[in-house]
């Protein structure tokens, strides 16, 4: 099956690290994505990782992929109040020849001062 | 200034009426997508198109229709057959529609059925 699951809510203090977790069930997934959505807006791509990689770092963002456990995580270092948003994990779907994405339900990150 | 535009931002309609949501992109992307977002439900794919004059149903196509007569435009019609149309609708595009191609999103249209 193709289900992407995320915890619904995470609360952290400004300056702390945030870790948002995602699990997926389709072992054929090739690309995994993290998107950010601010209130009332569209989705903004944060980063992506190819399934043959274990880790990818981009400034304050670190993505870890455990392919054996089908677990993906996004770590945000030095979290700021501007990071408060909904974060979506998504995988490319082999069902459509990898031409579409399957999204999780999103994790709402709340950063308090 | 390249990007994806959706109009209108807010749309109200009466029950039983069809309504068309606009999506335009000037990124020269081949593939375009429509998603529906409900609170706590994430994004669900309605329709997608990988090339002009061709489109495929997504996971929740019932009650919706699309056309792709031009590369830059992918309008979505919400018909009266859609039982619960109130939602936030997001349009996206990608270069070729392959899994490695990043999808870029428009700002969304919030549809409310009165």
């Amino acid at each position: 099956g193709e289900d992407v699951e995320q915890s619904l809510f995470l609360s952290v203090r400004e300056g702390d690290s945030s870790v948002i977790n995602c699990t997926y069930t389709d072992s054929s997934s090739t690309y995994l994505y993290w998107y950010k959505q601010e209130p009332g807006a569209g989705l903004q791509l944060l980063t992506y990782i190819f399934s043959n990689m274990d880790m990818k770092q981009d400034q304050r963002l670190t993505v870890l992929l455990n392919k054996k456990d089908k677990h993906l995580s996004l770590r945000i270092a030095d979290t700021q109040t501007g990071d408060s948003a909904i974060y979506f994990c998504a995988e490319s779907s082999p069902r459509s020849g990898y031409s579409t994405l399957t999204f999780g339900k999103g994790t709402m990150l709340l950063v308090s001062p | 200034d390249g990007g994806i535009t959706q109009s209108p931002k807010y749309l109200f309609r009466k029950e039983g009426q069809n309504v068309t949501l606009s999506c335009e992109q000037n990124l020269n992307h081949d593939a375009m997508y429509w998603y529906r977002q409900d609170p706590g439900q994430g994004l669900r794919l309605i329709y997608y198109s990988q090339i002009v004059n061709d489109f495929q149903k997504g996971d929740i196509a019932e009650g919706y229709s699309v056309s792709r007569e031009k590369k830059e435009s992918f309008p979505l019609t919400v018909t009266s057959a859609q039982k619960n149309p109130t939602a936030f609708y997001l349009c996206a595009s990608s270069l070729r529609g392959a899994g490695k191609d990043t999808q870029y999103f428009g700002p969304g249209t919030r549809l409310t059925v009165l």
Side-chain angles (χ1 to χ4, degrees), chain B residues 5 13 19 24-25 38 43 51 59 61 70 72 104 107 114:
Chain B
T5 57
R13 79 149 213 223
V19 63
E24 305 275 332
Q25 53 97 2
D38 296 282
L43 275 70
I51 198 167
D59 299 318
K70 297 186 296 183
E72 59 270 22
Y104 295 90
L114 304 172

Side-chain angles (χ1 to χ4, degrees), chain A residues 8 31 33 35 37 40-43 45 48 88 92 95-101 103-106, chain B residues 9 33 35 37 40-43 45 48 50 59 88 90 97-103 105-107:
Chain A
L8 293 182
Y31 286 88
Y33 298 82
Y35 282 87
Q37 184 181 37
L43 273 66
L45 178 73
Y48 66 91
F88 290 94
S92 53
R95 187 175 59 183
S96 61
Y98 303 100
S99 60
T100 62
L101 296 178
F103 286 84
K105 294 183 178 180
Chain B
K9 189 171 176 63
Y33 312 80
Y35 294 91
Q37 185 178 21
Q41 292 297 314
L43 275 70
L45 182 66
Y48 65 104
Q50 292 180 284
D59 299 318
F88 190 49
L90 287 160
K100 62 180 180 179
D101 291 338
T102 299
Q103 288 190 22
F105 283 79

